[in-house]
Amino acid sequence: MLQLPESPCMRKLVSVEDAYEICRQITAKYSKTFYLGTLLMSQQKRRAIWAIYVWCRRTDELVDGPAAALTTPETLAIWEKQLESLFAGQPLEDPDVALVDTIQRFRLDIQPFRDMIAGQLMDLYRSRYQTFEELNLYCYRVAGTVGLMSTAVMGVNGGYNTAAWNQGQKPPDPTPEAVTLGIANQLTNILRDVGEDARRGRIYLPLEDLAKFNYTEQDLFKGVIDDRWRELIRFQIRRTQEFYHQAEKGISHLAPDARWPVWASLMLYSQILQEIERNDYDVFQKRAYVPSLKKMRYLPVAWLRSQAL
Ligand SMILES: CC(C)=CCC/C(C)=C/CC/C(C)=C/CC/C(C)=C/[C@@H]1[C@@H](COP(=O)(O)OP(=O)(O)O)[C@]1(C)CC/C=C(\C)CC/C=C(\C)CCC=C(C)C
Ligand SMILES: [Mn+2]
């Protein structure tokens, strides 16, 4: 379990180097897929992504972790005050030392961080989404924001303006696609975790979609897998794949050294959708995951795409 501040006291904090090492270890422990992606980046960018990852993970744990029952809107308000302190250059805990360094090096914007806290707040008072539009807003807040934070670190295609024919033109902005990839990842996460969420009384699939396929909340809580369910999930998978497809178009506008890691994480994470199909849409009893060996096989394909597309 990740720790929240015991008390933001006057304790001496670790060095910047040690703080990044703490963030590396936490990223490696909690997310094999994203950690693998960061290993394909330059040292400076990869460390910054670890620092961001740890802040995001800790924010998520406030509402999703083992101590979530103790979290109130007030807890999130305190967390946001702590965030403001980081942006003012004042770390309060060891991993924050790395994030403060990252914020300053990459001139990060505070807004996506605030938006993510707003997303976690939604989890405190909502356990249903009526429409896809409502779900989309939630997904932007908890995951599209990660796309914005990461893109600020990874950088855009700097070579664009140096080409004579591009003089005076702005380089294409990949941030909409970065948000789209975050949303695609979150939609995938929701499909993978339907059973786990149902056991906590939560349904993230839009209720309008359940109705469209004549599948009820009671069916979902009972874990009914039949043709209505398969059609419903196929529909969700297709929609999510469209988000991935849209996101792919932005990758060539990222800095060249960021394209391989992003292609790799996109391909690995979207592969979870195929695993759900392979499990015959049983997301109640089985957790769809991509085996490590298979992940490795995607790396060269991701590399080829990063060079060619
Ligand atoms: C390779 C790279 C740049 C990775 C970014 C790593 C990073 C900073 C991840 C933060 C993840 C996090 C802890 C977010 C908190 C909210 C949350 C839990 C969101 C879900 C992530 C996955 O969580 P989980 O731990 O459940 O995953 P697994 O158990 O390991 O499966 C989310 C699904 C959201 C993840 C969203 C992203 C990584 C954003 C992706 C977008 C980009 C990297 C921008 C790319 C740019 C273009 C132009 C396409
Ligand atoms: Mn969560």
Side-chain angles (χ1 to χ4, degrees), residues 157 172 174 244-264 266-267 298-309:
N157 184 5
Y244 280 116
H245 187 61
Q246 208 47 42
E248 287 172 3
K249 298 179 188 162
I251 303 180
S252 62
H253 301 139
L254 289 172
D257 67 343
R259 295 176 199 162
W260 186 23
V262 171
W263 266 112
L266 183 151
M267 292 177 73
Y298 278 99
L299 295 185
V301 186
W303 184 81
L304 282 175
R305 289 191 181 181
S306 73
Q307 303 301 303
L309 298 177

Side-chain angles (χ1 to χ4, degrees), residues 30-34 37-38 41 49 52-53 56-57 60 116 120 142-143 146-147 150-151 154 174 177-178 181-182 185-186 189 192-193 247 250-251 254 261-262 265 269 272 287:
Y30 285 86
S31 182
K32 306 273 173 290
T33 303
F34 297 132
T38 62
M41 291 178 181
I49 297 289
I52 293 173
Y53 178 87
C56 293
R57 167 61 49 213
D60 186 60
M116 179 177 285
Q120 306 301 348
V142 297
V146 182
S150 313
T151 302
M154 294 184 299
E177 287 84 4
L181 181 54
N185 286 349
Q186 186 61 27
N189 204 272
R192 183 193 66 189
D193 295 345
I251 303 180
L254 289 172
V262 171
S265 0
Y269 218 81
I272 294 174
R287 190 173 207 260

Side-chain angles (χ1 to χ4, degrees), residues 14-215:
V14 296
S15 67
V16 173
E17 283 305 309
D18 288 352
Y20 277 118
E21 175 55 20
I22 293 172
C23 294
R24 184 193 70 74
Q25 287 175 12
I26 296 175
T27 311
K29 177 170 174 197
Y30 285 86
S31 182
K32 306 273 173 290
T33 303
F34 297 132
Y35 184 65
L36 184 62
T38 62
L39 293 183
L40 309 176
M41 291 178 181
S42 68
Q43 168 75 358
Q44 207 181 63
K45 292 183 183 180
R46 126 185 0 154
R47 291 182 353 152
I49 297 289
W50 295 335
I52 293 173
Y53 178 87
V54 170
W55 184 87
C56 293
R57 167 61 49 213
R58 298 179 78 206
T59 306
D60 186 60
E61 290 245 333
L62 287 173
V63 296
D64 245 5
L70 304 174
T71 299
T72 62
E74 171 71 359
T75 320
L76 292 178
I78 295 170
W79 188 242
E80 190 159 350
K81 283 271 164 259
Q82 189 165 331
L83 172 73
E84 283 161 11
S85 160
L86 302 186
F87 273 82
Q90 185 58 61
L92 298 174
E93 300 173 78
D94 290 342
D96 293 346
V97 174
L99 187 57
V100 167
D101 184 68
T102 291
I103 289 168
Q104 292 169 352
R105 263 178 211 275
F106 293 92
R107 298 166 167 271
L108 297 188
D109 178 4
I110 195 170
Q111 196 54 44
F113 292 82
R114 284 196 203 280
D115 288 348
M116 179 177 285
I117 296 175
Q120 306 301 348
L121 186 64
M122 287 171 88
D123 264 337
L124 284 190
Y125 64 84
R126 265 191 106 136
S127 57
R128 300 285 188 282
Y129 292 84
Q130 193 57 46
T131 63
F132 180 70
E133 204 183 332
E134 290 170 13
L135 179 67
N136 198 39
L137 174 64
Y138 170 76
C139 291
Y140 159 69
R141 288 181 172 163
V142 297
T145 50
V146 182
L148 293 176
M149 298 168 194
S150 313
T151 302
V153 166
M154 294 184 299
V156 296
N157 184 5
Y160 186 85
N161 265 347
T162 58
W165 56 88
N166 285 327
Q167 285 297 322
Q169 282 182 37
K170 274 189 162 176
D173 173 15
T175 53
E177 287 84 4
V179 169
T180 303
L181 181 54
I183 294 175
N185 286 349
Q186 186 61 27
L187 291 172
T188 305
N189 204 272
I190 285 172
L191 289 171
R192 183 193 66 189
D193 295 345
V194 166
E196 195 182 308
D197 289 330
R199 286 187 279 280
R200 297 185 305 160
R202 298 186 162 274
I203 301 178
Y204 288 97
L205 301 179
L207 297 183
E208 66 180 7
D209 293 344
L210 263 66
K212 213 180 295 172
F213 291 92
N214 202 21
Y215 190 87

Side-chain angles (χ1 to χ4, degrees), residues 200-262:
R200 297 185 305 160
R202 298 186 162 274
I203 301 178
Y204 288 97
L205 301 179
L207 297 183
E208 66 180 7
D209 293 344
L210 263 66
K212 213 180 295 172
F213 291 92
N214 202 21
Y215 190 87
T216 66
E217 289 191 25
Q218 290 68 36
D219 291 327
L220 192 143
F221 285 126
K222 281 193 238 154
V224 175
I225 300 174
D226 57 12
D227 285 348
R228 293 169 305 155
W229 175 251
R230 290 190 184 89
E231 281 305 311
L232 168 61
I233 297 302
R234 267 187 216 120
F235 173 75
Q236 306 295 324
I237 289 178
R238 274 199 302 275
R239 175 159 60 200
T240 306
Q241 283 166 336
E242 280 166 27
F243 275 75
Y244 280 116
H245 187 61
Q246 208 47 42
E248 287 172 3
K249 298 179 188 162
I251 303 180
S252 62
H253 301 139
L254 289 172
D257 67 343
R259 295 176 199 162
W260 186 23
V262 171

